[in-house]
Amino acid sequence: MALLETQGLTAFYGDFQALFGVDITLDAGETVAIIGANGAGKSTLMRSMSGMIANAAGQVRFEEREIGALPAPDVMALGIAMVPEGRKLFPSLSVEENLLIGRYGRATAGAWSLQTVYDLFPVLKERRNSPGTALSGGQQQMVAIGRALMSNPKVLLCDEISLGLAPVIIRDIYAAFPKIRAEGASIVIVEQDIGQALKVADRLYCMMEGRVTLSGTPASVGRDEIHAAYFGAHTA
Ligand SMILES: Nc1ncnc2c1ncn2[C@@H]1O[C@H](COP(=O)(O)OP(=O)(O)OP(=O)(O)O)[C@@H](O)[C@H]1O
Ligand SMILES: [Mg+2]
């Protein structure tokens, strides 16, 4: 039985339909990557799984429980934490205050605390009293990840954590993932950097225009297949 799954997931922004029957699964201990071009529906899928947008009943299940219609705070309390696209830090709060925000709504004991987040990203301890906005983009991304970890989630949803960052910074951030996995979190990452996704994921799904167009393990899917699933196969 999957830890988290969507079945026939549809999502709408008003009259606009963004997802058309998406089926994905995340097993306990797995890291799954979602790849796809701009507007494919990746963030909408993440918002659906985190309760940020409501879905029809029965379309999202977590630990065998229906969560598609639950609001975000309830989903977070169950153990699904989101690192949102664009980081969404509170600009007037310090690094430490931003991290502590992650505790509200799910003060569950577990591996992650201020101390262990600072061990994971030591630069954040140095900058603990700085406002979030005084940090570099990479450091802000570390705060966003740390904030999500502070709830000791069972599932960590990461939406485009490499976007706009230099390769050396992306490498530093992804270096934290084995430790996050080792503490028991299952992970869904959205990535536009396909190479990065293939490196870190046990399985991947490619989305195009609100549908899954390819799924498999990094070893089983070829670059050509990914290209076709990403941009559409053009048959003459
Ligand atoms: N708040 C919104 N209101 C209306 N339409 C939206 C909203 N957010 C996304 N959409 C539309 O839904 C579709 C899927 O968008 P989504 O943000 O999920 O794609 P994405 O794969 O995350 O893209 P990107 O790589 O640019 O982040 C797009 O057509 C987008 O324009
Ligand atoms: Mg997106």
Side-chain angles (χ1 to χ4, degrees):
M1 181 52 78
L3 179 63
L4 177 63
E5 72 182 318
T6 67
Q7 255 176 14
L9 178 65
T10 55
F12 297 84
Y13 297 103
D15 291 339
F16 179 80
Q17 185 164 5
L19 298 180
F20 298 83
V22 170
D23 298 338
I24 72 143
T25 61
L26 174 72
D27 288 335
E30 257 192 327
T31 297
V32 162
I34 314 288
I35 61 175
N38 288 327
K42 306 179 299 296
S43 294
T44 305
L45 171 61
M46 299 292 255
R47 291 180 199 129
S48 298
M49 294 191 295
S50 62
M52 289 168 67
I53 55 177
N55 307 93
Q59 296 186 344
V60 188
R61 299 184 71 78
F62 175 58
E63 295 183 318
E64 299 184 44
R65 171 177 181 166
E66 152 56 33
I67 64 162
L70 290 184
D74 295 4
V75 174
M76 191 191 173
L78 291 174
I80 300 180
M82 174 95 140
V83 183
E85 198 172 24
R87 301 156 201 152
K88 309 275 189 315
L89 303 185
F90 291 94
S92 61
L93 301 184
S94 69
V95 164
E96 190 149 306
E97 288 165 336
N98 268 286
L99 291 174
L100 288 169
I101 294 274
R103 278 267 136 134
Y104 291 112
R106 183 173 157 88
T108 307
W112 297 109
S113 62
L114 275 180
Q115 187 54 55
T116 54
V117 168
Y118 288 147
D119 290 344
L120 188 69
F121 298 122
V123 68
L124 297 187
K125 189 169 188 179
E126 291 162 28
R127 309 295 311 267
R128 65 200 296 172
N129 296 317
S130 306
T133 46
L135 306 183
S136 70
Q139 291 167 353
Q140 289 185 27
Q141 193 64 74
M142 290 172 192
V143 176
I145 294 168
R147 178 182 57 188
L149 291 176
M150 289 290 284
S151 67
N152 280 295
K154 296 176 184 173
V155 173
L156 183 67
L157 305 174
C158 300
D159 196 350
E160 303 229 20
I161 53 178
S162 9
L163 196 68
L165 303 181
V168 59
I169 309 295
I170 296 171
R171 196 192 59 204
D172 283 355
I173 287 175
Y174 270 100
F177 275 72
K179 289 180 207 154
I180 296 171
R181 291 180 70 151
E183 296 299 350
S186 308
I187 302 170
V188 181
I189 57 156
V190 163
E191 262 300 340
Q192 288 212 28
D193 179 337
I194 296 173
Q196 190 60 59
L198 291 173
K199 247 187 266 171
V200 70
D202 300 306
R203 286 187 303 115
L204 62 91
Y205 293 89
C206 189
M207 291 181 69
M208 188 173 60
E209 295 172 1
R211 295 178 170 83
V212 171
T213 47
L214 178 70
S215 63
T217 64
S220 70
V221 296
R223 287 278 168 158
D224 292 351
E225 260 183 305
I226 291 178
H227 194 268
Y230 214 95
F231 298 110
H234 298 286
T235 47

